[in-house]
Structures are given as structure tokens and as C-alpha cells.
Amino acid sequence: MSPRRRDAEGTAAARAERRAELLATAAEVFASQGYSATTVRKVADAAGILGGSLYYHFDSKEAMADEILSTFLDEMWAGYDRVLAAGLSARDTLEAIVVESFRSIDRHRPAVVLYQNESKHLATSERFHYLLDSQRRFEEMWLSLLDRGVKEGAFRADLDQTLVYRFIRDTVWLAANWYQHGGRLSADDIAKQYLAMFLEGIQAS
């Protein structure tokens, strides 16, 4: 490899690393201050750079939010798809999905908070229409899983599946508001505690 090509690849890697650092900073600012209240200047200040320097990497705060949310959702769905393709029982699939959800919170906590707080507003823009698609896909996945669990005799048939879905969804994902990476309990430990609490309520006797 020529020195020039080596230098170019090194520069590209450094630029990609810096871009990731800036996105992480932007995600934290969006999560703590809110999307509407966040300006490019605020993100730049938090990153310790001039506002104009941020435009070297991103053309707008919408571009930053787009990349933060799409990266989070792409990784979340990749994890879910691996679970769904594993051929597990409905109960084991539910447990694995909950574990995967907490792992996603662990990796992308600020993005999850941004999604929870701002997705309804952002989804009105064509650029963020994929948020609605993901929400529909998420609900369909859970309702199908709960229905399969009833048919397999694993979950109670007398419970309203939509209500159960909403309970599990809100209980799990609202944990992003208090979860801290590296805390007393790992993401997997918390998932196991959550599963112990609500599986007792929905499993068939």
C-alpha cells in the first residue's frame, strides 16, 4: 500500500471516529435538553468546537438526529430479527426480545430517550417517516408474539393482548430515563428482573 493511500485511509478512519464522537455528544444534548431547544451551537459547545466546524460533518441538526435514530433502530431490528429467526418458543422469544431491548438501551440510551420524547413530532416530517414504519412493525411483532404464546398455551388467553403489549413496551423502554451504563446491575440482569416480574402475570397456569 502506498504511503498516500495509507494516509488517506488513516484520515478517513479518524474522520469517521470524530463523526461518531460528535453524534454521541449530539444524542446526549438532544436527550437532556430536548430536540426543539437544541441548536447546532449547543451541540458544538458541548463538543468543544466552533459551530461552523460542526457543519463540516453534518449539514443540520436534522441530519444528526436522523443518523442517531436510524442507527439505533437499525441495530435494534437487527437484534430482533436474529431472535425471531432462531425458531424459539413464544415464551423464549419474548424473553430474548426483552433482553435484546435492554441491550439496545445500554448501547443507545440517549437515542432511546430522543426517540421516546420526539418521535411523534419528528415523524410528521417526510425525512423521519421511517419512525412510523418502525412503530407499526414493533406493535405487529409484539401482538403476533403474544397471540402465538396464547396458542402455544404459554400465555393467559383472558388478558387483552394490546394492553399487555403496551404494558411491556412502556415498562421496558421507559427504563432508558434512569438506566446508567456500568451501574450496579447490567442490562441483562435488569432484563431478568423485569421478566421475573411480569411473566408471572401473563403466563398460563
Side-chain angles (χ1 to χ4, degrees):
M1 182 184 298
S2 69
R4 180 177 297 177
R5 181 177 177 184
R6 212 167 29 241
D7 289 346
E9 291 185 353
T11 301
R15 191 161 54 244
E17 182 177 357
R18 182 55 174 157
R19 182 184 180 88
E21 291 172 353
L22 293 172
L23 280 174
T25 298
E28 291 285 358
V29 178
F30 286 141
S32 63
Q33 300 188 25
Y35 179 77
S36 296
T38 298
T39 62
V40 171
R41 177 64 180 273
K42 286 185 178 180
V43 175
D45 287 346
I49 61 175
L50 296 174
S53 299
L54 197 59
Y55 285 107
Y56 176 72
H57 299 276
F58 308 99
D59 60 18
S60 65
K61 75 171 186 177
E62 288 81 7
M64 288 185 283
D66 187 3
E67 191 161 344
I68 290 165
L69 290 170
S70 61
T71 298
F72 150 58
L73 290 174
D74 286 347
E75 290 190 15
M76 181 192 77
W77 280 111
Y80 284 172
D81 287 342
R82 285 192 296 271
V83 172
L84 296 172
L88 303 173
S89 67
R91 181 191 172 101
D92 288 346
T93 299
L94 184 149
E95 292 186 17
I97 289 290
V98 170
V99 169
E100 191 60 44
S101 297
F102 274 101
R103 289 175 179 173
S104 189
I105 292 172
D106 182 58
R107 292 190 298 266
H108 300 285
R109 191 200 66 81
V112 174
V113 174
L114 172 63
Y115 177 87
Q116 290 175 338
N117 294 341
E118 310 290 352
S119 61
K120 184 175 182 179
H121 166 69
L122 290 173
T124 60
S125 166
E126 184 64 30
R127 180 169 194 162
F128 293 94
H129 195 71
Y130 62 86
L131 297 175
L132 295 176
D133 295 334
S134 182
Q135 289 167 7
R136 283 192 290 266
R137 183 182 176 191
F138 188 85
E139 181 173 1
E140 289 169 0
M141 176 193 73
W142 270 106
L143 292 177
S144 176
L145 176 58
L146 292 170
D147 184 61
R148 180 158 68 91
V150 171
K151 292 176 179 176
E152 291 178 4
F155 304 147
R156 290 169 53 183
D158 62 317
L159 297 177
D160 185 280
Q161 292 176 16
T162 299
L163 187 60
V164 173
Y165 150 69
R166 289 174 177 168
F167 172 79
I168 295 174
R169 177 197 63 190
D170 294 347
T171 302
V172 170
W173 289 101
L174 286 176
N177 290 310
W178 54 261
Y179 176 82
Q180 291 295 325
H181 177 76
R184 183 173 60 87
L185 295 175
S186 70
D188 284 17
D189 290 334
I190 295 172
K192 291 175 183 177
Q193 292 285 322
Y194 270 56
L195 286 165
M197 286 185 282
F198 63 69
L199 272 177
E200 184 174 344
I202 69 170
Q203 67 186 3
S205 58

